[in-house]
Each structure stands twice: as structure tokens, then as C-alpha cells.
Amino acid sequence: MDRAFKRRLEGRFAERLTGPVRQRHDETEIRIAAADVTDTLRTLHDDPAFGFEFLSDLAGVDTGTYMQVVYHLWSDTTSDWLRVIADGLSREDPRVPSVTFLWKGAEWMEREAYDMFGITFEGNRDLRRIYMPPDYTSFPLRKDFYLADDSARSPGAGVRHMERVHDPRNSTPGNTLRRARA
Amino acid sequence: MTTPTPTASEHRSTDDPRITLDEGVGVFEPIPPYPPRTEREAEFYTLGDGEMFINMGPQHPSTHGVLRVVLKLDGEKVVDLDPVLGYLHRGVEKLCENADYHQTISQVDPLEYISSLFCEWAPVTAYEKLLDVEVPRRAEYIRVLSGELNRISSHALFMGWFALDLGGLTPILWSFIERDEIVEMLAALTGQRMLFNYFRIGGVNGDLNHEFLSRLGDWMSRAVGQVEANTKLLNENEIFVRRASGLGVVDQETAIRLCMTGANLRATGIPFDLRRTHPYSIYPELEFDIPTRSEGDSLARYLLRMEEVKQSLRIIDQCLDKMPDGPIMAKLPRLLRPRPGRAWAAVEGPRGVYGAYAISDGTDQPFRLKIHDPSFIHLQAVGALLPGNLLADTMAIMASLDPVMGGVDK
């Protein structure tokens, strides 16, 4: 854990953080709003005091109540991994700015997150499905997409159809989704 | 019996034997039968003057798996390309969300079927962080030992494949001798030749046994000589060296922007190796170098991997030397319910950084498990490296980046 790094983050991004800076093992975690993604990541990337030039991973997360986009960054200015969570995207229409202007390699990671969660990355020039066929309409990693044999968790306690079109009107009633404080 | 003649308006499936078609069905027609979804797709599927499409795969022998690439050619020059993924997509991340923590290890195994141990290592480490469990030192040593063996077998296969894609048949036969020896060794240790399913949360599945150690001892006594002999096949082969040098050059800045890792990044001169830059397991206690090169071409990537094999042999030597006694598993309950939380772990594999991001919601199944696979990133980099090269170099460049389709498609 790099305590000094936590103070530097709090000093620099104080007004943008939507939650406390959390540290555990060799990870430091900050939370920001989706609208601040461009500025925050550009500062982290460009400012030599941070120097986060390596984007290690970009992941979409469906917490059951809202969506997140999670960035894992690496820099030689700290011994910690930095996790930036763009928090609180709506499940109906998740939107977040693309980071392809900093890392061209994020393009496919964003395509994957779009394919699996339906998160729209504004500014990605090639946001189309990457794994699933083009005529596919579901977003498989969303929590309201049930596997056929996942009868224990499905609200009807029976087998459901594999593909569900994501539509707030026919999505599962809120209280049956698996949720986490993520 | 009369066969009904199909009319134009009649809708039939394409596998109906009675169907008569005016045109070929063209399952793998390069131009997709739907309107472009993005600007980039529209731009790619519009032909310029004198350009043509060539569809490569998904059954092409040198795509290292089930990959389809649509190439846009001008004469013999590649203008642009569009990799089409998903033929091997199994939805591993979704399956992991519906399996308990121990079961996910066997789910992520087949992602990276050339070096399975590294694909297990990342999620297992992430779970250990979630559980705050300390892995016994002997288990860590066994992990590093088996991991480095796996790295050598993966690089051996890379050497053979790379030469094969450049048109040389002999090296793959030679490299399979070494690979087979290592695979048999690991089979004695783990019980499997390919998908080891060996690492456990809090340790490993079995202790070192006599067969493994005697095979390893045998092999180590001649390994250095064998590696020298194998690399001599290619390193001093003028056709190979002149063909591979200057091919698919990538500079430092581009490599970082493309998120490349592993030997592909180190070939540009950046000494980024998680075993040293972000130490994990027992790597800080071991002596080894991080070789780098500055050329950033296919030859540099090949030479680096061969250099890494020698470093791995050094690590194995030290592991055998320092192997401590003790338990190989931490004391943990059968059913794991980590406290709600998040953990990210990354390890340096033969292809680059393998990462895992695990979220726990307090139940016995991970709420979300994101696997980061370097092959996925490196296949994307092909799109930046290839344009301007000849069609015949396509596979050489792709092979030098060493992607494995099992990891790309998840």
C-alpha cells in the first residue's frame, strides 16, 4: 500500500472523487463520474507526477443496480495498481467517453465491453460487436441475462430462454437481480 | 416421388439439399450482408481504385486457431485488415459467474491452452487477495517452478510455429521434442498434459513427486545444450534472419499506446516485466535478467523469447536449489465465501500480462470475473503493424506477436 500516493490522489482530484480513495493489498481505487473520465485519465496519463502510461485492463461491470467501467493502470511512480472506476452509469443507457485518444489499444477492450454489457463508448470509431454475431441483440454479461440452467437464481425458478432482448419494459423486476456493492 | 421445385419466394434454410441457388451462398463472403454499423466498418468495406478483398480463415492453417481476417489488398500490398473474432467464444466470464470459486479455475484453463498455468495464476491470485490468505512458501516455489517450465514449453512452440509460418518445417519438429519432454514432466506433476488445472486457491494441487523430479533432473542436465542447438537452427539461418528482420516494426510510443505487453513490448526496449516491475510471488528472491532489444521487429521478438528461455532455466535451477519444506496448501474452508470486495491481480506470462479482476458479493460464486488476456491485445496490434506489408508477411508478423485464439475469444 502506498499511503503517499493516496494523499497525492486526494490532493489532485479532490473535487472529482465520488467516493473515498480505497487501498487494499497492492491496489488503490478511486471513483469518478462518467463525465470526468476524459479529464481524469488524461491528467493521470500526462502529468509526470502520476505517469500512468500503461492501461492494463478495461472492464465493464453490471452491479445489478447500475453499470461501471473499470480501468486498471500501471505507472512506475507508485508501487500500487491504480483502479479507476467510472461509477453510476444507468442500466438503461450506459454511456461513457472513450479513452482511445490516449490508448489506441483500448478500442477492442471497449468493443468487448459494448458487446457484453451494451455500454456505449462515445468517441470510439469502431464500436460494434466483437465476439457475438452482428444480428445478436442481447448483452450476455448483464445480470438480467440468465443462463439456461441457472434455475436457482431465476425469478420463475425455471428454465428461461437464453437470449433476452435488453428492454427496460420486459427486464426482470428489480428485486430479483443478483446485486453487489462493487 | 416427385421433388417439389423451389420457387423464388419460398424461404428455405441453406442446408436444405433440395435448394437451388442462383448464386453461391458464401458463408464467408468478405463483404458482410448487412449495412455497415460504424464509420470504420463503412470505410473498410468500401474498395478504392485497384483494391480487392481477400478472406483468410477461419480454417486457415496458419491463423493459430479459428480466426478470420478480411484483408484489403492493393496488388500484393496489404492496405488494411479487419479481424473477425468470436468463432471460439465460449462465454467463460459468464460461466465463471455461475460456478463456485474452485470451479472457475477449470473454466479459465482452456483460455490459454498453450500456457494454461498462467491463466490460472491470475484469477487464483485475485481470489487469494479477496480472501486475505497467505500462500505457503513451498507452494509459491512450486508455482514458479511449474510456471517457468510452462513458459519454456510455450516459447518452444512459438519458435516452431514462427519458423513454420516463414516456410521452414524442421524447427517445429525439433521444438516439439523439448515441448513433449516438458509436457510429460508437467503431466507427472499435475496429471494433465495440456489443461493442467493445477493451481488452487491458497496453494497447488499436488506436491512434487519422484517422476517429475527425475524427469526434470534428466532434462535440466541437457537443457542448455538443447536450447542452444535448437536456436542455432534459426539464429544463424540467413534466409530466416533476413526475412524476419525489419518486419512489423513497432516503436516504443506506439507499443504503449497499443497496450502491448510481454516480449512484444520489451522488443522495443522497454524493460516492462511484471516479475521485476511489480513483483509478485517469490520472484524478488530469485536472480534473473529482463532481456530487452531495441529493434522492435519480428526478429527481435523471436530472439527475446529465446533469451527468456535461458532466464527461465536459471529460475528453475534456483527454485530447485531453494525449494523449502512445508505445506503446499493454506488452511481454507471447502466452501469459500470471500467478504464483498474487489481484487485485481496480474502475472507475467509468456505472451504478456495476464490479469484477473474479481468482484465478490459475499456468496460462493464470483459476482464478476474479468480475464485480461494479452493475445487479445496483440491481435489488435496486428491491425497497426500490418498495413504496408506484403500479403506473404501477414502470417509472419502475426506469428511473431504470438497470439493464441483461445485467449483472444474467451
Side-chain angles (χ1 to χ4, degrees), chain A residues 22 24-27 29 31 53-64 68 70 72 74 78-81 83 85 100-109 111-112 116-117 125-134 140-143 145-147 150 153 178-182, chain B residues 34 37-41 43 45 82-87 89 93-95 97-98 128-132 256-260 265 270 272 274 277-278 339-346 353 357 359-361 363-368 370-372 376-377 379-380 384 407-410:
Chain A
R22 288 207 182 84
R24 194 178 172 196
H25 298 291
D26 57 347
E27 297 155 42
E29 174 184 304
R31 279 162 195 266
E53 285 186 17
F54 291 86
L55 174 68
S56 288
D57 187 36
L58 186 155
V61 174
D62 179 6
T63 65
Q68 295 175 336
V70 182
H72 283 97
W74 186 89
T78 169
S79 58
D80 276 10
W81 289 102
R83 170 158 61 240
I85 301 182
T100 46
F101 70 98
L102 285 172
W103 296 282
K104 200 175 176 300
E107 195 175 295
W108 277 21
M109 300 191 225
R111 275 179 71 181
E112 190 196 338
M116 294 293 139
F117 294 94
R125 63 175 188 141
D126 197 18
L127 200 67
R128 53 188 157 131
R129 288 189 177 270
I130 190 162
Y131 290 143
M132 308 310 283
L141 279 177
R142 279 179 182 246
K143 290 292 170 191
F145 182 101
Y146 294 92
L147 293 189
D150 184 22
R153 283 216 176 82
R178 187 182 176 193
R179 285 174 186 182
R181 298 198 315 274
Chain B
Y34 46 82
R37 290 165 285 174
T38 57
E39 261 175 56
R40 151 81 187 155
E41 198 176 18
E43 176 203 313
Y45 288 103
D82 187 25
V84 182
L85 312 182
Y87 291 97
H89 182 61
E93 289 175 3
K94 189 73 177 178
L95 291 172
E97 285 176 14
N98 291 277
E128 281 157 3
K129 282 183 177 180
L130 280 178
L131 289 155
D132 286 315
I256 294 177
R257 277 174 57 83
L258 286 170
C259 303
M260 286 162 81
L265 180 64
I270 301 168
F272 181 81
L274 283 188
T277 51
H278 195 101
R339 275 185 294 130
R342 298 160 292 284
W344 158 262
V353 171
Y357 177 50
I359 301 179
S360 164
D361 62 346
T363 63
D364 59 336
Q365 298 174 327
F367 183 76
R368 166 102 169 96
K370 158 85 189 183
I371 305 286
H372 178 84
F376 182 66
I377 304 298
L379 189 65
Q380 171 175 229
V408 173
D409 276 351
K410 279 196 266 218

Side-chain angles (χ1 to χ4, degrees), chain A residues 161-175:
Chain A
H161 196 264
M162 286 275 285
E163 288 186 29
R164 289 169 59 88
V165 180
H166 174 72
D167 179 354
R169 281 167 306 171
N170 68 11
S171 71
T172 330
N175 54 2

Side-chain angles (χ1 to χ4, degrees), chain B residues 178-325:
Chain B
E178 298 316 305
R179 179 170 162 82
D180 202 55
E181 188 55 42
I182 297 174
V183 157
E184 286 295 334
M185 235 183 264
L186 288 173
L189 180 66
T190 67
Q192 291 288 331
R193 284 171 57 96
M194 215 164 137
L195 309 175
F196 305 109
N197 192 11
Y198 180 55
F199 290 178
R200 290 288 179 271
I201 302 161
V204 290
N205 189 22
D207 209 340
L208 302 179
N209 55 36
H210 176 71
E211 194 193 342
F212 171 74
L213 285 175
S214 63
R215 271 179 181 274
L216 179 61
D218 261 7
W219 182 74
M220 281 300 280
S221 60
R222 59 188 162 84
V224 179
Q226 289 282 8
V227 171
E228 288 289 337
N230 278 4
T231 48
K232 219 168 13 176
L233 262 180
L234 287 176
N235 289 6
E236 292 169 21
N237 183 328
E238 199 184 336
I239 302 172
F240 173 79
V241 171
R242 285 177 63 172
R243 176 82 197 279
S245 62
L247 197 61
V249 183
V250 58
D251 60 72
Q252 292 194 358
E253 200 191 326
T254 318
I256 294 177
R257 277 174 57 83
L258 286 170
C259 303
M260 286 162 81
T261 49
N264 299 337
L265 180 64
R266 291 193 289 276
T268 65
I270 301 168
F272 181 81
D273 186 322
L274 283 188
R275 291 176 293 174
R276 278 283 181 260
T277 51
H278 195 101
Y280 57 95
S281 193
I282 46 135
Y283 281 111
E285 299 169 21
L286 303 172
E287 266 179 43
F288 59 97
D289 301 324
I290 304 299
T292 57
R293 296 187 81 87
S294 54
E295 299 92 341
D297 59 359
S298 298
L299 185 67
R301 293 192 275 273
Y302 159 77
L303 290 172
L304 257 189
R305 291 200 168 92
M306 294 305 109
E307 199 58 44
E308 273 180 26
V309 169
K310 291 175 195 159
Q311 300 300 327
S312 291
L313 288 174
R314 271 176 79 186
I315 297 175
I316 292 169
D317 248 345
Q318 293 171 54
C319 279
L320 289 172
D321 213 30
K322 295 181 177 174
M323 184 68 67
D325 284 333

